Amino acid sequence: MSNITANYQRSQLRALPLRGGKSEVTYCYVVRIPGGWEAINHRFREWAVGDFRQQQQETHND
């Protein structure tokens, strides 16, 4: 099935690496909004992914 025929759309999330020399790589999360990207925190990203997975499970169990 094509993504074009889906009845719902999900926001596009990205993890952008932040360079810090030799230190551990950290990530900045962003979500696509009309006209660009908006920075989000890790908690929002966790919620969005969890919500998507739950809805997928519910759809496949029907």
Side-chain angles (χ1 to χ4, degrees):
M1 178 180 231
S2 172
N3 287 348
I4 296 173
T5 61
N7 293 333
Y8 62 92
Q9 293 184 355
R10 285 285 166 196
S11 299
Q12 183 179 0
L13 303 174
R14 285 188 180 171
L16 306 174
L18 302 175
R19 302 185 192 280
K22 293 184 179 185
S23 63
E24 185 176 329
V25 175
T26 58
Y27 293 90
C28 172
Y29 299 100
V30 293
V31 63
R32 186 159 183 79
I33 60 170
W37 296 90
E38 179 73 27
I40 59 173
N41 61 25
H42 182 75
R43 183 170 287 206
F44 180 85
R45 189 207 61 91
E46 286 289 318
W47 170 82
V49 171
D51 184 58
F52 173 74
R53 288 181 176 168
Q54 180 180 351
Q55 287 187 10
Q56 287 293 95
Q57 263 187 340
E58 291 170 359
T59 301
H60 291 279
N61 289 336
D62 290 341

